[in-house]
Amino acid sequence: MKFATKAVHAGVAPDPSTGAIMTPIFQTSTYVQEGPAQHKGYAYARGANPTRNSLQKSIAALENGKFALCFSSGMGATDAVVKLLKPGDEVITSNDLYGGTYRMFTKIYEKFGIKFHFIDLTNSANIQPLVNANTKLLWVETPTNPLMNIVDIKACAVIAKKHDILLAVDNTFASPYLQSPLELGADIVMHSVTKYLGGHSDVIMGALVVNDEKIHQELAFIHNSCGAVPGPQDSFLVLRGIKTLHLRMERHCINGKKVAEFLKAHPKVGRVYWPGFPDHPNHAIAKSQMRDFGGMLSFTLKDDSIEKAHTLMKSVELFALAESLGGVESLINHPASMTHASIPKEERLKSGLVDSLMRLSIGVEDAEDLISDLEQALNKV
Ligand SMILES: *Cc1c(COP(=O)(O)O)cnc(C)c1O
């Protein structure tokens, strides 16, 4: 089955008791058993729920994976992966990670004796020197937030295979429509389902997808033992969202390209970070591992100041000032005063997060309206 057909049909079947075409919301905590331990695969809803099961099958199919597990948030999914490790184990990851992932690794898991190496993963040659017998996990995110850096998943997979290290890829920014990490050699794909998979800014959820049965069983054990499972209402909302994933992504990509090109040509705009530009430093890798370039981009003002960025963000009318991404509506945010405000200014500048840097999550509105909105706002700065 091709992607669009899977988005509509994978994992779902008419309800056998009624013929309902939409998967019912099985709002139940437990299931009546015919005799002790005699049940239809459902005993208690932390372990299994039919609405969640349908969603898990759908997400597995979209990632070309065998097994998926859905979690109550993206962080819940990441947490389960780290729980595969034990004290003394080491993780190699990027110095350009989603802030919540960095916070979990350093503030929660370092104190359990897991060691994290944060390095520049856009150059895969940086990995090898840090590998030792304790290295158990390579955690990759691509494209990264907010500078849209691209990490070569295949190159990471070669190193991971050679040293028997698990390779996990946070595929949130690309979505399964644009990038299939399992096919590029990853062992685990992680999603913040909250973003493109849900797509309507109304659910917090996470997911993991794997091909290997043993890794699946270990993760499923953690899933049920630690209990970060999503409810059936949220599972239903995501099942509904996924039915239009391909249509939304197609429009996110078209709009993203138009807005990126508009900004690049604007006299008040400094740099535009979007992996579709041939002069993006990792454009060639983006082109080889992604099917298109998505709707996420960042830009700076030539006259770099926090005040000017604030003026622009207060002047936009269509773009909503908010964290998060991947929904149908366009959002703008300002890393220096929002998502990355806790990073000291010198550190922030070192990684290119200048004062006026703003990130856009381009929605599925009409691109001309989005561009006019940015144009009138740029005229005010
Ligand atoms: C949002 C996000 C997460 C965390 O997901 P939640 O659903 O908010 O817990 C992890 N990685 C990336 C890249 C994200 O954008």
Side-chain angles (χ1 to χ4, degrees):
M1 258 196 271
K2 297 252 172 36
F3 193 90
T5 314
K6 285 197 276 192
V8 177
H9 293 290
V12 297
D15 173 47
S17 64
T18 60
I21 192 160
M22 286 305 296
T23 309
I25 301 168
F26 284 90
Q27 192 75 49
T28 188
S29 61
T30 192
Y31 309 86
V32 177
Q33 307 191 9
E34 279 154 24
Q38 266 187 296
H39 56 74
K40 305 179 167 94
Y42 296 99
Y44 183 63
R46 175 163 24 77
N49 175 285
T51 320
R52 191 175 93 212
N53 275 4
S54 279
L55 176 61
Q56 291 179 161
K57 282 188 195 144
S58 165
I59 293 177
L62 295 176
E63 281 291 355
N64 299 322
K66 287 203 186 111
F67 311 99
L69 293 165
C70 286
F71 291 80
S72 52
S73 68
M75 295 322 300
T78 301
D79 180 67
V81 176
V82 186
K83 283 175 176 150
L84 293 170
L85 309 178
K86 59 180 190 320
D89 285 351
E90 297 189 17
V91 180
I92 299 174
T93 186
S94 158
N95 55 11
D96 187 17
L97 275 183
Y98 174 72
T101 308
Y102 177 78
R103 179 174 61 192
M104 180 196 289
F105 287 175
T106 54
K107 298 272 196 304
I108 307 287
Y109 280 108
E110 273 180 358
K111 71 175 186 229
F112 285 93
I114 295 168
K115 189 168 172 188
F116 296 88
H117 301 275
F118 299 95
I119 62 168
D120 177 7
L121 281 184
T122 58
N123 180 0
S124 53
N126 292 337
I127 301 171
Q128 186 75 45
L130 290 170
V131 173
N132 63 44
N134 296 325
T135 312
K136 296 289 158 59
L137 175 67
L138 179 55
W139 182 275
V140 167
E141 191 180 312
T142 182
T144 67
N145 174 35
L147 291 179
M148 308 303 295
N149 286 316
I150 304 291
V151 177
D152 186 340
I153 299 173
K154 251 189 200 162
C156 289
V158 168
I159 300 168
K161 291 257 144 34
K162 187 170 151 206
H163 299 282
D164 208 14
I165 300 167
L166 278 178
L167 173 61
V169 176
D170 180 338
N171 203 26
T172 301
F173 265 46
S175 88
Y177 179 82
L178 293 178
Q179 182 169 273
S180 306
L182 294 175
E183 292 185 344
L184 298 164
D187 300 295
I188 303 173
V189 173
M190 175 266 166
H191 276 286
S192 169
V193 173
T194 312
K195 315 295 169 50
Y196 285 109
L197 285 165
H200 295 75
S201 312
D202 51 10
V203 173
I204 295 283
M205 196 188 290
L208 298 175
V209 189
V210 303
N211 267 325
D212 184 273
E213 179 141 20
K214 187 168 161 277
I215 303 173
H216 170 247
Q217 277 173 3
E218 283 177 45
L219 288 169
F221 183 78
I222 294 166
H223 191 229
N224 183 43
S225 304
C226 298
V229 298
Q233 292 266 2
D234 284 354
S235 301
F236 174 85
L237 285 170
V238 176
L239 274 169
R240 169 195 261 229
I242 284 175
K243 288 184 189 286
T244 55
L245 178 63
H246 52 301
L247 301 172
R248 289 185 282 109
M249 289 310 298
E250 200 179 319
R251 179 61 79 87
H252 284 300
C253 292
I254 293 171
N255 284 358
K257 182 169 195 282
K258 287 184 182 166
V259 172
E261 283 167 354
F262 160 76
L263 288 171
K264 198 171 191 180
H266 197 283
K268 286 191 182 167
V269 171
R271 287 188 63 170
V272 182
Y273 297 88
W274 180 66
F277 288 132
D279 62 357
H280 180 287
N282 319 115
H283 176 69
I285 295 161
K287 221 174 145 177
S288 73
Q289 72 187 13
M290 296 171 74
R291 289 177 274 272
D292 204 338
F293 304 107
M296 294 303 301
L297 58 105
S298 295
F299 69 103
T300 65
L301 297 173
K302 266 199 189 125
D303 195 356
D304 181 55
S305 83
I306 289 198
E307 294 70 33
K308 296 227 156 165
H310 283 186
T311 305
L312 187 143
M313 287 181 294
K314 280 186 202 140
S315 308
V316 284
E317 285 161 11
L318 267 179
F319 283 83
L321 178 59
E323 292 184 12
S324 198
L325 62 115
V328 289
E329 57 287 287
S330 293
L331 304 180
I332 187 166
N333 85 39
H334 184 227
S337 42
M338 297 165 74
T339 47
H340 294 66
S342 61
I343 304 175
K345 182 166 173 174
E346 289 141 47
E347 286 295 309
R348 176 161 65 70
L349 293 181
K350 262 193 249 163
S351 39
L353 300 175
V354 299
D355 287 346
S356 68
L357 183 82
M358 284 166 277
R359 190 191 81 181
L360 302 178
S361 170
I362 304 295
V364 300
E365 302 94 333
D366 190 289
E368 273 180 42
D369 289 333
L370 295 176
I371 288 171
S372 337
D373 191 30
L374 290 169
E375 189 152 41
Q376 63 81 20
L378 279 161
N379 283 338
K380 296 193 176 129
V381 304

